[in-house]
Amino acid sequence: MCGIVGYIGKEQATPILLDGLKKLEYRGYDSAGIAVMNGGEINIVKAKGRLKVLCQMTDDGAAVKGACGIGHTRWATHGEPSETNAHPHCNDEKTIAAVHNGIIENYAELKAKLIRRGYTFYSQTDTEVATKLVDYYYKKYNDPLRAISEFALRVRGSYALAVMYCEYPETVFAIRKDSPMIIGTAKGGAFLASDVPAILKYTKSVYYVDNLEIVRLKSDGATFFNLDREEVEKVPVEITWDAEAAEKGGFEHFMLKEIHEQPKVIADTLNYAVKNGKIDFSEIGLENKFLKKLNGVIIVGCGSAYHAGVVMQYVIEDIARVPVRVELASEFRYRNPVASGELVIVISQSGETADSLAALREAKKKGLKTLAVVNVLGSSIAREADYVFYTKAGPEISVATTKAYTAQLIAGYLFAIKLAEVKKTVDAAVISALVTELKTLPEKVERLLADKEKIQKFAAETVDKNNVFFIGRGIDYAVGIEGSLKLKEISYIHSEAYAAGELKHGTISLIEKGTLVLGVLTQGALIEKTVSNLVETQSRGALIATVVTQGVRLPETGFERVFYVPETDSHFTASLAVIPLQLLAYYLSVLRGNDVDKPRNLAKSVTVE
Ligand code: M6R
């Protein structure tokens, strides 16, 4: 959701900005722009549409000279995607330029005040308001840091804002609140960006900017200030993954690469929390005495993270016998939930999702302890939670999550088993068998991936379907909702996921000749029941496909399209059943000619409500 890049150093800025913006394309955008300082003048180039348009306009960066600049990819919030609304925005004299990620909630009120003070506005954006507000205070105090702190004192909402002033031609200033921003420093240059992949090629030494911290970036490094403009000491973090981790590595799409990374992701996430065959949460900080007293868990998340939470609910309740409720973060944050004594688990790949962050804050306000299950190191949710379980998925670039969801499931299983161990709801031998079984998952996922052509063929057969239903019971239902979301977001095929027993309470009226109904059948005793529901839809003309645990004998049904997944403990089947569903969504998206990694209207990290 919008990407920001900034550079000041010895090299030409424009190629570095364009390269950085390319690395942030996954975040989702519909226009792009750069502002580069040259000889005390700011040059701005903007374009609607894909980055390649901006690259063409600037001769791949060669046509815009200067060693200090800021760049932006915009995902439209206020105002349509257009060149005028694209960032950077500037003041009338073109002596100040700024890019912004987030939403200024009181922009209308601020705009009215600025109009009264003689400002004119050309775009529909809140960012032009932000830029002119900084300009107003810069003119008033003649101090670039003060202008930014005055801005921060007056705006409500979220922002990562980078500003250049002509009177400071070798400096980039920035501030953030609830929108991600990192700073990188290297020999002879300094960088800012919304996310690490944008600057990984140049440096692995990264500072995570805190809320309401102001940054002054010069070619010899970064200085940080609080809102009172006092210097703040910060320690950089060394990024452990390399630039290759954020490249396609020979795969046609990031999504396919990330699907294939899942065996490693499972192994890495297990290695993080399993030591010598035992689950060890000491790094996470969760102590046994805290877990022992726990009498409830609330899980919140959005999209796939919420879906991982639904799987977790089944597993935790079944193994640890602790009541669990799963809620959409966007609902939890506003409904003044009744809660006391529960642990709130916030699941988020990016750690920046606005609703999940707000849900975390709501939980803390109620005095609840919070555990973040987060993939991105140093992200807002990770920093604000009481405990953090870092999933080891590595950088996820594809908008449609696959490996991060998989890693979240592993975190959930480990949490459930640990809770069961502490609460002694299952025998030590069972605990040990469950941990041993978890270790077999990477190889089982490998086996599924080796068989991907079967799914590819099935995708070719079903490419013209316009309606797909996923049904299942228990964990099979939970994995169905994830399969359905995957399909919707990248293939643009309408799809619904239903708890199989619910189907005949209304939805079955949508089944007609040729409708594809996909049954997930991994949950022992529940399989026969879901098969009956599949047969009911088959009688109404549906085309049936099933994902079934190997070795399960289905009743005589005539189902022809059966995709087997290896046997595992029934609590862990989502980790296997989801693989064919991810592959199906992927191949259907490719066959339909969609932009797999950057589906329409979507952003990787949803930092606005
Ligand atoms: O970064 P988060 O895990 O908090 O993101 C939550 C959702 O926005 C995300 O899972 C979204 O649903 C994905 N596009 C699903 O593939």
Side-chain angles (χ1 to χ4, degrees), residues 329-340:
S330 54
E331 289 296 309
F332 181 85
R333 65 180 290 190
Y334 287 124
R335 69 174 190 83
N336 190 17
V338 179
S340 80

Side-chain angles (χ1 to χ4, degrees), residues 229-292:
R229 304 185 309 284
E230 296 156 343
E231 249 186 80
V232 178
E233 281 298 318
K234 279 182 89 75
V235 183
V237 173
E238 203 58 20
I239 299 298
T240 50
W241 31 278
D242 53 21
E244 244 176 43
E247 303 287 345
K248 279 191 212 149
F251 285 91
E252 202 181 335
H253 299 100
F254 279 111
M255 183 176 175
L256 191 60
K257 177 191 172 226
E258 289 163 7
I259 287 174
H260 279 81
E261 282 171 353
Q262 291 179 109
K264 180 173 179 332
V265 164
I266 296 174
D268 289 351
T269 306
L270 287 174
N271 286 338
Y272 165 67
V274 181
K275 309 269 151 61
N276 302 320
K278 289 207 166 303
I279 299 174
D280 179 351
F281 278 180
S282 51
E283 212 172 307
I284 296 155
L286 272 177
E287 290 181 359
N288 286 0
K289 68 171 191 275
F290 170 76
L291 293 174
K292 206 172 186 123

Side-chain angles (χ1 to χ4, degrees), residues 301-306 347-353 356 381 398-402 404 408 482 485-486 489 602-606:
C302 303
S304 297
Y306 167 79
I347 308 175
S348 175
Q349 187 285 129
S350 62
E352 300 293 349
T353 301
S356 305
I381 292 174
S398 162
V399 166
T401 180
T402 51
Q408 289 159 357
E482 174 57 10
L485 176 64
K486 267 325 56 109
E489 67 182 332
L602 292 182
K604 178 67 181 161
S605 166
V606 184

Side-chain angles (χ1 to χ4, degrees), residues 83 151 158 190 254 408 416-417 582 603:
E83 196 182 312
F151 155 89
S158 59
F254 279 111
Q408 289 159 357
I417 301 169
Q582 293 171 342

Side-chain angles (χ1 to χ4, degrees), residues 23 114 163 290 292:
K23 299 285 182 330
L114 287 165
V163 189
F290 170 76
K292 206 172 186 123

